[in-house]
Amino acid sequence: MKRQRASSQRKPARIPSGKAGAESGFLMEVCVDSVESAVNAERGGAGRIELCSGLLEGGTTPSMGVLQVVKQCVQIPVFVMIRPRGGDFLYSDREIEVMKTDIRLAKLYGADGLVLGALTEDGHIDKELCMSLVAICRPLPVTFHRAFDMVRDPVAALETLLTLGFERVLTSGCDSSALEGLPLIKRLIDQWGSLNCSKIEELMNQTSILKRLLTTDEKIG
């Protein structure tokens, strides 16, 4: 059942958890849609790649051929977007089957993590669907993508994602850019830290680095 359409023209930032890979303690993730872009991202200092297709649509699932060759050409982790089409984040039964199949194939071809998301028609996280998709993704880490910026209540949504086991969230702070959404991003990082006490210092450090990078208009994620 299709329910809502969402704009994809937003500059994202990531609320990370886990080990940072740069000397500054901040791991830069770059979104790419080709083998050449992936190689260039690694050369440029990226610590992780988000591989997708259809960047103009906000990112859709890449071909498994691209994934296989990218894995042969780079050493850094490659997270694969699982999104069957552009537009909204409300999926039909057939689209859900495509997503599940793409997850299995991405794991088979060497994905280091998956990036996905789904909403209900009233703007909440689709718990049932996300739970089933995350289960298929395991043992790989899972990121909830920018569908987060379309939720009705970001604070409640983040708590839901933590409960579902998502390790990362892609967001522009529910605003037109991550710089403009920085107040909400900070609030969400505070919330994430309060629920993961061992990560508070790391997360707050990354918030300050995020602000510095965004001030220079550098894209994150």
Side-chain angles (χ1 to χ4, degrees):
M1 179 173 63
K2 303 286 187 64
R3 291 160 284 194
Q4 70 180 25
R5 292 279 166 185
S7 170
S8 62
Q9 301 304 312
R10 291 188 170 177
K11 295 181 180 179
R14 290 191 180 273
I15 299 176
S17 67
K19 184 177 180 180
E23 290 183 2
S24 64
F26 180 79
L27 188 149
M28 180 173 67
E29 178 173 293
V30 178
C31 186
V32 303
D33 63 353
S34 69
V35 177
E36 183 178 6
S37 295
V39 172
N40 289 338
E42 183 176 45
R43 288 175 179 170
R48 182 169 59 232
I49 287 171
E50 180 186 300
L51 183 64
C52 64
S53 183
L55 284 176
L56 293 179
E57 295 183 287
T60 54
T61 306
S63 78
M64 295 301 105
V66 171
L67 171 59
Q68 188 173 27
V69 177
V70 166
K71 286 294 295 179
Q72 294 170 356
C73 294
V74 302
Q75 299 299 313
I76 58 178
V78 178
F79 279 39
V80 176
M81 173 69 76
I82 302 297
R83 189 179 177 214
R85 54 164 174 77
D88 64 33
F89 305 103
L90 307 143
Y91 300 109
S92 68
D93 290 342
R94 289 177 178 174
E95 288 172 331
I96 291 169
E97 288 307 309
V98 170
M99 295 170 76
K100 291 179 177 180
T101 301
D102 282 337
I103 290 170
R104 295 185 181 101
L105 288 172
K107 292 173 67 177
L108 179 65
Y109 283 99
D112 298 292
L114 289 307
V115 184
L116 55 87
L119 303 179
T120 63
E121 60 183 336
D122 56 354
H124 298 292
I125 303 297
D126 190 330
K127 296 180 184 178
E128 182 178 355
L129 175 54
C130 286
M131 184 181 299
S132 66
L133 295 177
V134 168
I136 298 172
C137 291
R138 295 308 187 205
L140 299 182
V142 189
T143 298
F144 193 90
H145 59 44
R146 62 176 185 75
F148 185 85
D149 289 330
M150 304 299 141
V151 298
R152 178 174 295 179
D153 183 343
V155 173
L158 180 57
E159 187 167 352
T160 296
L161 295 179
L162 289 169
T163 301
L164 292 172
F166 283 86
E167 285 83 6
R168 299 174 182 86
V169 178
L170 173 61
T171 182
S172 63
C174 300
D175 214 320
S176 57
S177 73
L179 182 58
E180 293 175 346
L182 190 58
L184 177 58
I185 292 173
K186 286 184 175 181
R187 180 183 176 192
L188 294 172
I189 290 178
D190 286 341
Q191 178 189 2
W192 193 296
S194 70
L195 296 173
N196 297 272
C197 296
S198 64
K199 298 184 176 66
I200 294 176
E201 183 176 352
E202 173 191 343
L203 291 169
M204 296 312 295
N205 180 50
Q206 289 169 348
T207 306
S208 114
I209 294 169
L210 169 65
K211 184 175 182 180
R212 248 190 347 264
L213 287 172
L214 290 173
T215 301
T216 61
D217 198 33
E218 181 168 344
K219 182 178 179 181
I220 299 175

